[in-house]
Amino acid sequence: MKIKHIFHRLIGLSLLVPLAACKAEVLAPAGDVAARQRDLLVISTLLMLLIIVPVMVLTVWFAVKYRERNRAAEYAPDWDHSTKLEFVIWAAPLLIIISLGALTWVGTHLLDPYRPLERIEAGQPVPAEQTPLRVQVVAMDWKWLFIYPDEGIATVNELAVPVNRPVEFTLTSTSVMNAFYIPAMAGMIYAMPGMQTTLHGVFNTPGEYKGIASHYSGHGFSGMHFKTFASDDADFRAWVEKARAAGGTLDRPRYLDLEAPSENVPPMSFAEVDPQLFARVVNMCVEPGKMCMAEMMAIDDQGGAGLAGTMNTTALTYDKHQRRGARVPVLGWEPFQVASFCTPEDSALMFGSGALAVQPPADQSPLRGRALTPPRGLLSLSHDTDMTQLDPAAGQARNF
């Protein structure tokens, strides 16, 4: 019987073995932002445990003390209220909620992803002359594109940054919403098509770290991850020069080829990048001849294209399906998408030979209803025929 009991215990403990392969990414930060996020998480958890642990202990204690076989337990059928107990029951959770609220409000504002970093690490502010490293991120199907505008290079599924230097990410997506997350560096931020989000972070410890897509985005989601290398300035410059030496140009046609859905894409680099590429990706106008969202919004702000815009359209598929490679969207073709505008000469040629539609003159006589009682207010002193929808009797109609 004893051997059987030990065997059952071993089986239970064996279930914990897979946990040995787990790595505490969130609780093992390599940068100041991630460290402060970990502290916020740990402190909030400890504050909540101040209530959870006593409740769990008291639950077990009450179950043991007032069990059926314990005849020595105190029995007080007439007890119904205790001011001290009520004070403890309500005051303790209230204080914890106030503490959690203050801690969360201050912490989340200090860790706002759009807020530029004020320090490299505790006790070390950002030098006034140091500028952040700019990285433009595009979430694709199913890979990550990183553009370094200041270095003029781009990489796919590989990111490198120098340590102790703030990094400013600007992010967008090509087809569906995704989430960019490097647990050891900073928090998660969404990347959405047609929009631009921002994330600030920093690495304080050199090493190789994992970056993931933390939002499900389709069939190839499981392979949508990348490696992040944090190194000193000399190694980072060497990495940049290696990318430049590899050659290749990421222009608009090459980007459209890269944008096609693909899975488990190996890292690659480009020595040159179209400087307007990221802006066109955000405005969803990488395709030749396609109107950018910024231009379309400017036209709408001025009153829209008007009647002339109805003949300046071309039938295309909706961007999400077009970018994902689907020939026909599930719900059918989108009706129109503005591609270009005709000149006045084109409009004259288009409408010059057409017959003009003759409209009959509109009937200007007053509208009159039948079987309707004219409305009157309680304090109305006017006659029924002052404003009426009925045919008035002869000689009673007024000229309005």
Side-chain angles (χ1 to χ4, degrees):
M1 180 66 73
K2 186 176 181 180
I3 296 177
K4 183 178 180 180
H5 183 67
I6 295 175
F7 179 73
H8 288 168
R9 284 191 175 184
L10 291 176
I11 293 177
L13 292 175
S14 66
L15 298 177
L16 301 177
V17 173
L19 295 178
C22 296
K23 183 179 179 181
E25 294 279 356
V26 177
L27 299 179
D32 182 66
V33 176
R36 286 193 282 176
Q37 290 177 336
R38 176 207 56 194
D39 295 341
L40 179 62
L41 177 64
V42 172
I43 294 174
S44 301
T45 303
L46 293 176
L47 283 174
M48 289 184 285
L49 288 176
L50 291 178
I51 288 294
I52 296 174
V53 171
V55 169
M56 296 178 67
V57 171
L58 288 174
T59 300
V60 176
W61 182 73
F62 276 112
V64 173
K65 180 177 180 180
Y66 295 103
R67 66 189 186 278
E68 182 181 3
R69 293 194 301 271
N70 186 14
R71 300 299 179 178
E74 181 182 357
Y75 177 63
D78 298 328
W79 179 86
D80 59 1
H81 179 73
S82 172
T83 303
K84 295 180 180 179
L85 186 60
E86 291 284 346
F87 178 79
V88 173
I89 290 175
W90 290 104
L94 181 61
L95 291 175
I96 292 176
I97 291 173
I98 293 175
S99 301
L100 277 174
L103 179 68
T104 304
W105 191 90
V106 174
T108 52
H109 280 74
L110 289 176
L111 298 173
D112 185 351
Y114 283 80
R115 181 174 182 170
L117 301 185
E118 299 176 352
R119 71 183 197 185
I120 300 297
E121 56 184 340
Q124 182 181 351
V126 176
E129 68 280 1
Q130 188 180 56
T131 58
L133 174 68
R134 296 191 302 152
V135 181
Q136 298 168 341
V137 184
V138 182
M140 311 176 81
D141 294 326
W142 285 270
K143 48 196 170 287
W144 292 96
L145 172 64
F146 302 102
I147 302 175
Y148 293 78
D150 298 327
E151 283 70 25
I153 64 171
T155 60
V156 175
N157 285 343
E158 184 174 289
L159 175 67
V161 297
V163 296
N164 296 326
R165 180 181 176 183
V167 182
E168 178 184 335
F169 296 101
T170 51
L171 307 97
T172 190
S173 178
T174 57
S175 60
V176 297
M177 183 172 69
N178 217 306
F180 176 80
Y181 190 25
I182 306 176
M185 183 187 191
M188 180 192 70
I189 190 73
Y190 280 113
M192 293 168 280
M195 298 181 65
Q196 177 179 306
T197 54
T198 305
L199 175 68
H200 290 86
V202 64
F203 272 114
N204 302 124
T205 306
E208 179 182 321
Y209 304 96
K210 185 176 182 180
I212 61 174
S214 56
H215 189 93
Y216 180 74
S217 59
H219 187 268
F221 162 76
S222 60
M224 194 174 175
H225 47 75
F226 59 92
K227 292 182 179 181
T228 303
F229 300 99
S231 59
D232 56 24
D233 289 336
D235 290 341
F236 174 71
R237 300 312 309 178
W239 180 85
V240 172
E241 294 302 325
K242 180 181 177 181
R244 288 174 178 167
T249 300
L250 184 61
D251 52 12
R252 293 166 63 183
R254 181 68 179 91
Y255 172 84
L256 294 176
D257 294 338
L258 184 65
E259 189 186 52
S262 56
E263 302 179 29
N264 301 314
V265 178
M268 65 179 72
S269 61
F270 300 91
E272 297 181 12
V273 184
D274 183 348
Q276 298 297 324
L277 181 60
F278 184 77
R280 287 187 172 275
V281 175
V282 175
N283 284 276
M284 306 179 75
C285 57
V286 181
E287 297 86 351
K290 184 178 178 183
M291 179 182 292
C292 295
M293 287 199 312
E295 182 182 1
M296 185 178 297
M297 288 187 290
I299 293 173
D300 291 341
D301 184 60
Q302 297 174 3
L307 181 61
T310 59
M311 61 182 176
N312 292 281
T313 57
T314 181
L316 292 177
T317 57
Y318 177 48
D319 285 307
K320 181 177 70 173
H321 302 283
Q322 182 177 344
R323 292 167 185 269
R324 286 209 161 191
R327 184 178 180 274
V328 180
V330 177
L331 299 180
W333 297 95
E334 286 293 313
F336 298 107
Q337 178 175 289
V338 177
S340 61
F341 281 93
C342 295
T343 64
E345 291 77 11
D346 295 332
S347 301
L349 290 175
M350 184 175 295
F351 290 106
S353 59
L356 295 177
V358 179
Q359 296 286 345
D363 185 4
Q364 301 296 327
S365 60
L367 296 176
R368 302 188 184 281
R370 293 184 179 278
L372 296 176
T373 303
R376 292 191 62 185
L378 295 176
L379 302 179
S380 175
L381 300 179
S382 61
H383 300 287
D384 290 347
T385 57
D386 284 348
M387 294 183 68
T388 180
Q389 294 177 328
L390 301 178
D391 290 331
Q396 294 184 358
R398 296 190 179 189
N399 184 17
F400 296 109

